[in-house]
Amino acid sequence: MPGTVLLLAASPLGRGRLVDAASVLPVLAAVPPSVLSGADTANVVELADPLEPQAVLTRLRAAAAAPGPLTVYVAGELRLDRRQRLPHLALARTTPATVRYTALPWHWFRDELRLRPAGATTLFLDLRADADAWRALCEPPAPGRAFPLDCGRDAAVYGRVAPPPPSRRAVAVPTYMKALATLLRSGRRLPEEELHQRTLARIAPEGVGTDLVLAQRGPLPGDPHAAVTEAVRAGRHAEADALAARLEQAAALAHGPVSEEALHWTEVRADLAMLAGDAARSCGAWMALAGTRLAAGQPADAPAVEAAVDRAHHQWGRVGDPVRVRELGVRLVELRSRVPGRREGAVEHVRRRLREVQGRGAVPAGHLRTDPPQGATAVP
């Protein structure tokens, strides 16, 4: 099966940039696609200093939906948004004041890659953090919170995050990614962990004692996610949901019903309903999950809450039965009023479709604009 490679190099244009991320792309582009991906053949998508986060999201979503192995190479710089203090990958138009709107939220990587088969995704990262982002990365995560650069439990992640350059006028280069590309240009794809270690050896002593080294292996054989994924790929949707339900119950008993371990499997079951073609059940599950998070005290603009409501909205747009559209739509209006999300007009979109249903019967799925709000996950 052919692989997919996404090459993403991004940093702000003009003064204030920390790293010349795009300088690594010619070196990566010289590597044969099969070596970049570790597969016999591969499709390569290259993004050099993209302008809009939605454009990057579209490419990332398409790459995540492709069958076969996926390898993502990311070079760039990390900034925190001022409102939620969450890490973002700065894009060409990003400034310190516009991070939330012009940069790519890092949790979008995790959100888009979470439906990938276990062990089929690898990321190589060479990131330079500004002062605020560096301090946030060096702090120990709060209990129950994931590492800020979490890419999901089913992905292997290798690379490094470097602190800001010593001088404000200095512009760094992505030396880890360049060293990695140089090794790959030999035409031989080493095992990922060995490739990572050899790359670190090439750039030493530059980052020894200062860089934050990333090394997360993929899931081990027997991982329950792999069993769920295999059942879905074989079309055994009821079996997949039953297995996820047992895992959800076990996590709730072990860690508590509103623990991240239990809510993760609740999310999986909402996704399984989507993959089974039951948009109404998926919509209801995502709304219930959002309600659980809100009741547990999570703020309305928390990424997990926004993502749950965005996905509920997207799935509601695929429901065609007028009765179910009305039932779910009434609940969604109330939820959207509390969690408007990042894209303007989300509440009015729900109200407009409800008026259409009441006036003419069912509105065919896709008749109105049902694009998921910014940061939401589309159906693969």
Side-chain angles (χ1 to χ4, degrees), residues 139-159:
E139 293 175 355
R145 298 291 298 273
F147 178 62
L149 298 186
D150 175 36
C151 296
R153 66 187 70 199
D154 289 335
V157 183
Y158 299 96

mmCIF file with all atom_site columns, all heavy atoms in Angstrom, residues 139-159:
data_model
loop_
_atom_site.group_PDB
_atom_site.id
_atom_site.type_symbol
_atom_site.label_atom_id
_atom_site.label_alt_id
_atom_site.label_comp_id
_atom_site.label_asym_id
_atom_site.label_entity_id
_atom_site.label_seq_id
_atom_site.pdbx_PDB_ins_code
_atom_site.Cartn_x
_atom_site.Cartn_y
_atom_site.Cartn_z
_atom_site.occupancy
_atom_site.B_iso_or_equiv
_atom_site.pdbx_formal_charge
_atom_site.auth_seq_id
_atom_site.auth_comp_id
_atom_site.auth_asym_id
_atom_site.auth_atom_id
_atom_site.pdbx_PDB_model_num
ATOM 1   N N   . GLU A 1 139 ? 7.633  23.144 32.070 1.00 0.00 ? 139 GLU A N   1
ATOM 2   C CA  . GLU A 1 139 ? 6.886  22.913 33.306 1.00 0.00 ? 139 GLU A CA  1
ATOM 3   C C   . GLU A 1 139 ? 6.323  21.495 33.305 1.00 0.00 ? 139 GLU A C   1
ATOM 4   O O   . GLU A 1 139 ? 5.853  21.012 32.267 1.00 0.00 ? 139 GLU A O   1
ATOM 5   C CB  . GLU A 1 139 ? 5.737  23.909 33.428 1.00 0.00 ? 139 GLU A CB  1
ATOM 6   C CG  . GLU A 1 139 ? 6.182  25.350 33.625 1.00 0.00 ? 139 GLU A CG  1
ATOM 7   C CD  . GLU A 1 139 ? 5.002  26.308 33.617 1.00 0.00 ? 139 GLU A CD  1
ATOM 8   O OE1 . GLU A 1 139 ? 3.866  25.828 33.353 1.00 0.00 ? 139 GLU A OE1 1
ATOM 9   O OE2 . GLU A 1 139 ? 5.202  27.504 33.840 1.00 0.00 ? 139 GLU A OE2 1
ATOM 10  N N   . PRO A 1 140 ? 6.320  20.814 34.447 1.00 0.00 ? 140 PRO A N   1
ATOM 11  C CA  . PRO A 1 140 ? 5.684  19.494 34.498 1.00 0.00 ? 140 PRO A CA  1
ATOM 12  C C   . PRO A 1 140 ? 4.188  19.631 34.254 1.00 0.00 ? 140 PRO A C   1
ATOM 13  O O   . PRO A 1 140 ? 3.559  20.562 34.777 1.00 0.00 ? 140 PRO A O   1
ATOM 14  C CB  . PRO A 1 140 ? 5.991  18.993 35.909 1.00 0.00 ? 140 PRO A CB  1
ATOM 15  C CG  . PRO A 1 140 ? 6.309  20.226 36.702 1.00 0.00 ? 140 PRO A CG  1
ATOM 16  C CD  . PRO A 1 140 ? 6.900  21.205 35.738 1.00 0.00 ? 140 PRO A CD  1
ATOM 17  N N   . PRO A 1 141 ? 3.575  18.761 33.434 1.00 0.00 ? 141 PRO A N   1
ATOM 18  C CA  . PRO A 1 141 ? 2.135  18.874 33.163 1.00 0.00 ? 141 PRO A CA  1
ATOM 19  C C   . PRO A 1 141 ? 1.320  18.670 34.425 1.00 0.00 ? 141 PRO A C   1
ATOM 20  O O   . PRO A 1 141 ? 1.702  17.907 35.319 1.00 0.00 ? 141 PRO A O   1
ATOM 21  C CB  . PRO A 1 141 ? 1.882  17.764 32.132 1.00 0.00 ? 141 PRO A CB  1
ATOM 22  C CG  . PRO A 1 141 ? 3.013  16.808 32.302 1.00 0.00 ? 141 PRO A CG  1
ATOM 23  C CD  . PRO A 1 141 ? 4.192  17.618 32.751 1.00 0.00 ? 141 PRO A CD  1
ATOM 24  N N   . ALA A 1 142 ? 0.192  19.369 34.503 1.00 0.00 ? 142 ALA A N   1
ATOM 25  C CA  . ALA A 1 142 ? -0.698 19.224 35.646 1.00 0.00 ? 142 ALA A CA  1
ATOM 26  C C   . ALA A 1 142 ? -1.275 17.816 35.673 1.00 0.00 ? 142 ALA A C   1
ATOM 27  O O   . ALA A 1 142 ? -1.360 17.144 34.633 1.00 0.00 ? 142 ALA A O   1
ATOM 28  C CB  . ALA A 1 142 ? -1.823 20.252 35.557 1.00 0.00 ? 142 ALA A CB  1
ATOM 29  N N   . PRO A 1 143 ? -1.658 17.315 36.850 1.00 0.00 ? 143 PRO A N   1
ATOM 30  C CA  . PRO A 1 143 ? -2.240 15.964 36.934 1.00 0.00 ? 143 PRO A CA  1
ATOM 31  C C   . PRO A 1 143 ? -3.428 15.806 35.996 1.00 0.00 ? 143 PRO A C   1
ATOM 32  O O   . PRO A 1 143 ? -4.315 16.658 35.937 1.00 0.00 ? 143 PRO A O   1
ATOM 33  C CB  . PRO A 1 143 ? -2.674 15.877 38.404 1.00 0.00 ? 143 PRO A CB  1
ATOM 34  C CG  . PRO A 1 143 ? -1.794 16.845 39.123 1.00 0.00 ? 143 PRO A CG  1
ATOM 35  C CD  . PRO A 1 143 ? -1.550 17.971 38.173 1.00 0.00 ? 143 PRO A CD  1
ATOM 36  N N   . GLY A 1 144 ? -3.418 14.725 35.236 1.00 0.00 ? 144 GLY A N   1
ATOM 37  C CA  . GLY A 1 144 ? -4.507 14.458 34.305 1.00 0.00 ? 144 GLY A CA  1
ATOM 38  C C   . GLY A 1 144 ? -4.389 15.170 32.976 1.00 0.00 ? 144 GLY A C   1
ATOM 39  O O   . GLY A 1 144 ? -5.217 14.963 32.088 1.00 0.00 ? 144 GLY A O   1
ATOM 40  N N   . ARG A 1 145 ? -3.366 16.027 32.803 1.00 0.00 ? 145 ARG A N   1
ATOM 41  C CA  . ARG A 1 145 ? -3.174 16.760 31.558 1.00 0.00 ? 145 ARG A CA  1
ATOM 42  C C   . ARG A 1 145 ? -2.049 16.123 30.756 1.00 0.00 ? 145 ARG A C   1
ATOM 43  O O   . ARG A 1 145 ? -1.033 15.697 31.296 1.00 0.00 ? 145 ARG A O   1
ATOM 44  C CB  . ARG A 1 145 ? -2.838 18.222 31.830 1.00 0.00 ? 145 ARG A CB  1
ATOM 45  C CG  . ARG A 1 145 ? -3.925 18.992 32.559 1.00 0.00 ? 145 ARG A CG  1
ATOM 46  C CD  . ARG A 1 145 ? -5.149 19.203 31.688 1.00 0.00 ? 145 ARG A CD  1
ATOM 47  N NE  . ARG A 1 145 ? -4.842 19.988 30.526 1.00 0.00 ? 145 ARG A NE  1
ATOM 48  C CZ  . ARG A 1 145 ? -4.865 21.320 30.520 1.00 0.00 ? 145 ARG A CZ  1
ATOM 49  N NH1 . ARG A 1 145 ? -5.155 21.993 31.625 1.00 0.00 ? 145 ARG A NH1 1
ATOM 50  N NH2 . ARG A 1 145 ? -4.601 21.989 29.399 1.00 0.00 ? 145 ARG A NH2 1
ATOM 51  N N   . ALA A 1 146 ? -2.237 16.076 29.438 1.00 0.00 ? 146 ALA A N   1
ATOM 52  C CA  . ALA A 1 146 ? -1.231 15.496 28.561 1.00 0.00 ? 146 ALA A CA  1
ATOM 53  C C   . ALA A 1 146 ? -0.105 16.498 28.317 1.00 0.00 ? 146 ALA A C   1
ATOM 54  O O   . ALA A 1 146 ? -0.244 17.699 28.550 1.00 0.00 ? 146 ALA A O   1
ATOM 55  C CB  . ALA A 1 146 ? -1.864 15.077 27.237 1.00 0.00 ? 146 ALA A CB  1
ATOM 56  N N   . PHE A 1 147 ? 1.025  15.999 27.835 1.00 0.00 ? 147 PHE A N   1
ATOM 57  C CA  . PHE A 1 147 ? 2.125  16.855 27.411 1.00 0.00 ? 147 PHE A CA  1
ATOM 58  C C   . PHE A 1 147 ? 1.621  17.803 26.325 1.00 0.00 ? 147 PHE A C   1
ATOM 59  O O   . PHE A 1 147 ? 0.854  17.394 25.445 1.00 0.00 ? 147 PHE A O   1
ATOM 60  C CB  . PHE A 1 147 ? 3.257  15.976 26.882 1.00 0.00 ? 147 PHE A CB  1
ATOM 61  C CG  . PHE A 1 147 ? 4.445  16.740 26.373 1.00 0.00 ? 147 PHE A CG  1
ATOM 62  C CD1 . PHE A 1 147 ? 5.186  17.548 27.223 1.00 0.00 ? 147 PHE A CD1 1
ATOM 63  C CD2 . PHE A 1 147 ? 4.821  16.641 25.044 1.00 0.00 ? 147 PHE A CD2 1
ATOM 64  C CE1 . PHE A 1 147 ? 6.291  18.245 26.750 1.00 0.00 ? 147 PHE A CE1 1
ATOM 65  C CE2 . PHE A 1 147 ? 5.917  17.334 24.566 1.00 0.00 ? 147 PHE A CE2 1
ATOM 66  C CZ  . PHE A 1 147 ? 6.657  18.139 25.419 1.00 0.00 ? 147 PHE A CZ  1
ATOM 67  N N   . PRO A 1 148 ? 2.002  19.095 26.357 1.00 0.00 ? 148 PRO A N   1
ATOM 68  C CA  . PRO A 1 148 ? 1.435  20.062 25.403 1.00 0.00 ? 148 PRO A CA  1
ATOM 69  C C   . PRO A 1 148 ? 1.584  19.685 23.943 1.00 0.00 ? 148 PRO A C   1
ATOM 70  O O   . PRO A 1 148 ? 0.771  20.102 23.119 1.00 0.00 ? 148 PRO A O   1
ATOM 71  C CB  . PRO A 1 148 ? 2.204  21.347 25.730 1.00 0.00 ? 148 PRO A CB  1
ATOM 72  C CG  . PRO A 1 148 ? 2.608  21.212 27.157 1.00 0.00 ? 148 PRO A CG  1
ATOM 73  C CD  . PRO A 1 148 ? 2.878  19.747 27.352 1.00 0.00 ? 148 PRO A CD  1
ATOM 74  N N   . LEU A 1 149 ? 2.610  18.935 23.588 1.00 0.00 ? 149 LEU A N   1
ATOM 75  C CA  . LEU A 1 149 ? 2.813  18.549 22.188 1.00 0.00 ? 149 LEU A CA  1
ATOM 76  C C   . LEU A 1 149 ? 2.338  17.126 21.919 1.00 0.00 ? 149 LEU A C   1
ATOM 77  O O   . LEU A 1 149 ? 2.832  16.456 21.004 1.00 0.00 ? 149 LEU A O   1
ATOM 78  C CB  . LEU A 1 149 ? 4.282  18.691 21.798 1.00 0.00 ? 149 LEU A CB  1
ATOM 79  C CG  . LEU A 1 149 ? 4.863  20.106 21.889 1.00 0.00 ? 149 LEU A CG  1
ATOM 80  C CD1 . LEU A 1 149 ? 6.276  20.126 21.349 1.00 0.00 ? 149 LEU A CD1 1
ATOM 81  C CD2 . LEU A 1 149 ? 3.998  21.108 21.146 1.00 0.00 ? 149 LEU A CD2 1
ATOM 82  N N   . ASP A 1 150 ? 1.386  16.668 22.677 1.00 0.00 ? 150 ASP A N   1
ATOM 83  C CA  . ASP A 1 150 ? 0.833  15.328 22.491 1.00 0.00 ? 150 ASP A CA  1
ATOM 84  C C   . ASP A 1 150 ? 0.275  15.181 21.080 1.00 0.00 ? 150 ASP A C   1
ATOM 85  O O   . ASP A 1 150 ? -0.487 16.031 20.606 1.00 0.00 ? 150 ASP A O   1
ATOM 86  C CB  . ASP A 1 150 ? -0.279 15.097 23.525 1.00 0.00 ? 150 ASP A CB  1
ATOM 87  C CG  . ASP A 1 150 ? -0.995 13.774 23.327 1.00 0.00 ? 150 ASP A CG  1
ATOM 88  O OD1 . ASP A 1 150 ? -0.322 12.801 22.940 1.00 0.00 ? 150 ASP A OD1 1
ATOM 89  O OD2 . ASP A 1 150 ? -2.215 13.722 23.553 1.00 0.00 ? 150 ASP A OD2 1
ATOM 90  N N   . CYS A 1 151 ? 0.660  14.115 20.389 1.00 0.00 ? 151 CYS A N   1
ATOM 91  C CA  . CYS A 1 151 ? 0.172  13.842 19.032 1.00 0.00 ? 151 CYS A CA  1
ATOM 92  C C   . CYS A 1 151 ? -0.720 12.603 18.994 1.00 0.00 ? 151 CYS A C   1
ATOM 93  O O   . CYS A 1 151 ? -1.011 12.087 17.912 1.00 0.00 ? 151 CYS A O   1
ATOM 94  C CB  . CYS A 1 151 ? 1.348  13.656 18.071 1.00 0.00 ? 151 CYS A CB  1
ATOM 95  S SG  . CYS A 1 151 ? 2.362  15.138 17.856 1.00 0.00 ? 151 CYS A SG  1
ATOM 96  N N   . GLY A 1 152 ? -1.136 12.115 20.154 1.00 0.00 ? 152 GLY A N   1
ATOM 97  C CA  . GLY A 1 152 ? -1.986 10.938 20.195 1.00 0.00 ? 152 GLY A CA  1
ATOM 98  C C   . GLY A 1 152 ? -1.201 9.697  20.559 1.00 0.00 ? 152 GLY A C   1
ATOM 99  O O   . GLY A 1 152 ? -0.007 9.576  20.271 1.00 0.00 ? 152 GLY A O   1
ATOM 100 N N   . ARG A 1 153 ? -1.885 8.765  21.176 1.00 0.00 ? 153 ARG A N   1
ATOM 101 C CA  . ARG A 1 153 ? -1.198 7.570  21.680 1.00 0.00 ? 153 ARG A CA  1
ATOM 102 C C   . ARG A 1 153 ? -0.845 6.580  20.584 1.00 0.00 ? 153 ARG A C   1
ATOM 103 O O   . ARG A 1 153 ? -0.041 5.671  20.805 1.00 0.00 ? 153 ARG A O   1
ATOM 104 C CB  . ARG A 1 153 ? -2.085 6.890  22.726 1.00 0.00 ? 153 ARG A CB  1
ATOM 105 C CG  . ARG A 1 153 ? -3.371 6.308  22.205 1.00 0.00 ? 153 ARG A CG  1
ATOM 106 C CD  . ARG A 1 153 ? -4.259 5.819  23.327 1.00 0.00 ? 153 ARG A CD  1
ATOM 107 N NE  . ARG A 1 153 ? -4.799 6.926  24.092 1.00 0.00 ? 153 ARG A NE  1
ATOM 108 C CZ  . ARG A 1 153 ? -5.289 6.803  25.317 1.00 0.00 ? 153 ARG A CZ  1
ATOM 109 N NH1 . ARG A 1 153 ? -5.291 5.634  25.919 1.00 0.00 ? 153 ARG A NH1 1
ATOM 110 N NH2 . ARG A 1 153 ? -5.773 7.848  25.939 1.00 0.00 ? 153 ARG A NH2 1
ATOM 111 N N   . ASP A 1 154 ? -1.413 6.724  19.395 1.00 0.00 ? 154 ASP A N   1
ATOM 112 C CA  . ASP A 1 154 ? -1.149 5.755  18.332 1.00 0.00 ? 154 ASP A CA  1
ATOM 113 C C   . ASP A 1 154 ? -0.044 6.194  17.374 1.00 0.00 ? 154 ASP A C   1
ATOM 114 O O   . ASP A 1 154 ? 0.245  5.497  16.408 1.00 0.00 ? 154 ASP A O   1
ATOM 115 C CB  . ASP A 1 154 ? -2.433 5.496  17.533 1.00 0.00 ? 154 ASP A CB  1
ATOM 116 C CG  . ASP A 1 154 ? -3.454 4.707  18.332 1.00 0.00 ? 154 ASP A CG  1
ATOM 117 O OD1 . ASP A 1 154 ? -3.042 3.986  19.256 1.00 0.00 ? 154 ASP A OD1 1
ATOM 118 O OD2 . ASP A 1 154 ? -4.657 4.813  18.032 1.00 0.00 ? 154 ASP A OD2 1
ATOM 119 N N   . ALA A 1 155 ? 0.548  7.368  17.597 1.00 0.00 ? 155 ALA A N   1
ATOM 120 C CA  . ALA A 1 155 ? 1.589  7.877  16.703 1.00 0.00 ? 155 ALA A CA  1
ATOM 121 C C   . ALA A 1 155 ? 2.960  7.773  17.366 1.00 0.00 ? 155 ALA A C   1
ATOM 122 O O   . ALA A 1 155 ? 3.096  7.921  18.577 1.00 0.00 ? 155 ALA A O   1
ATOM 123 C CB  . ALA A 1 155 ? 1.300  9.331  16.328 1.00 0.00 ? 155 ALA A CB  1
ATOM 124 N N   . ALA A 1 156 ? 3.974  7.515  16.538 1.00 0.00 ? 156 ALA A N   1
ATOM 125 C CA  . ALA A 1 156 ? 5.362  7.588  16.996 1.00 0.00 ? 156 ALA A CA  1
ATOM 126 C C   . ALA A 1 156 ? 5.871  8.998  16.705 1.00 0.00 ? 156 ALA A C   1
ATOM 127 O O   . ALA A 1 156 ? 5.627  9.536  15.620 1.00 0.00 ? 156 ALA A O   1
ATOM 128 C CB  . ALA A 1 156 ? 6.213  6.559  16.269 1.00 0.00 ? 156 ALA A CB  1
ATOM 129 N N   . VAL A 1 157 ? 6.554  9.616  17.677 1.00 0.00 ? 157 VAL A N   1
ATOM 130 C CA  . VAL A 1 157 ? 7.012  10.998 17.547 1.00 0.00 ? 157 VAL A CA  1
ATOM 131 C C   . VAL A 1 157 ? 8.494  11.070 17.914 1.00 0.00 ? 157 VAL A C   1
ATOM 132 O O   . VAL A 1 157 ? 8.894  10.629 18.998 1.00 0.00 ? 157 VAL A O   1
ATOM 133 C CB  . VAL A 1 157 ? 6.211  11.946 18.466 1.00 0.00 ? 157 VAL A CB  1
ATOM 134 C CG1 . VAL A 1 157 ? 6.669  13.393 18.255 1.00 0.00 ? 157 VAL A CG1 1
ATOM 135 C CG2 . VAL A 1 157 ? 4.717  11.820 18.200 1.00 0.00 ? 157 VAL A CG2 1
ATOM 136 N N   . TYR A 1 158 ? 9.287  11.646 17.008 1.00 0.00 ? 158 TYR A N   1
ATOM 137 C CA  . TYR A 1 158 ? 10.713 11.816 17.247 1.00 0.00 ? 158 TYR A CA  1
ATOM 138 C C   . TYR A 1 158 ? 11.114 13.234 16.845 1.00 0.00 ? 158 TYR A C   1
ATOM 139 O O   . TYR A 1 158 ? 10.519 13.832 15.945 1.00 0.00 ? 158 TYR A O   1
ATOM 140 C CB  . TYR A 1 158 ? 11.532 10.810 16.428 1.00 0.00 ? 158 TYR A CB  1
ATOM 141 C CG  . TYR A 1 158 ? 11.228 9.361  16.760 1.00 0.00 ? 158 TYR A CG  1
ATOM 142 C CD1 . TYR A 1 158 ? 10.326 8.623  15.991 1.00 0.00 ? 158 TYR A CD1 1
ATOM 143 C CD2 . TYR A 1 158 ? 11.835 8.749  17.851 1.00 0.00 ? 158 TYR A CD2 1
ATOM 144 C CE1 . TYR A 1 158 ? 10.035 7.301  16.302 1.00 0.00 ? 158 TYR A CE1 1
ATOM 145 C CE2 . TYR A 1 158 ? 11.556 7.424  18.171 1.00 0.00 ? 158 TYR A CE2 1
ATOM 146 C CZ  . TYR A 1 158 ? 10.652 6.708  17.394 1.00 0.00 ? 158 TYR A CZ  1
ATOM 147 O OH  . TYR A 1 158 ? 10.364 5.403  17.716 1.00 0.00 ? 158 TYR A OH  1
ATOM 148 N N   . GLY A 1 159 ? 12.135 13.750 17.517 1.00 0.00 ? 159 GLY A N   1
ATOM 149 C CA  . GLY A 1 159 ? 12.620 15.075 17.160 1.00 0.00 ? 159 GLY A CA  1
ATOM 150 C C   . GLY A 1 159 ? 13.125 15.835 18.360 1.00 0.00 ? 159 GLY A C   1
ATOM 151 O O   . GLY A 1 159 ? 13.518 15.259 19.373 1.00 0.00 ? 159 GLY A O   1
#
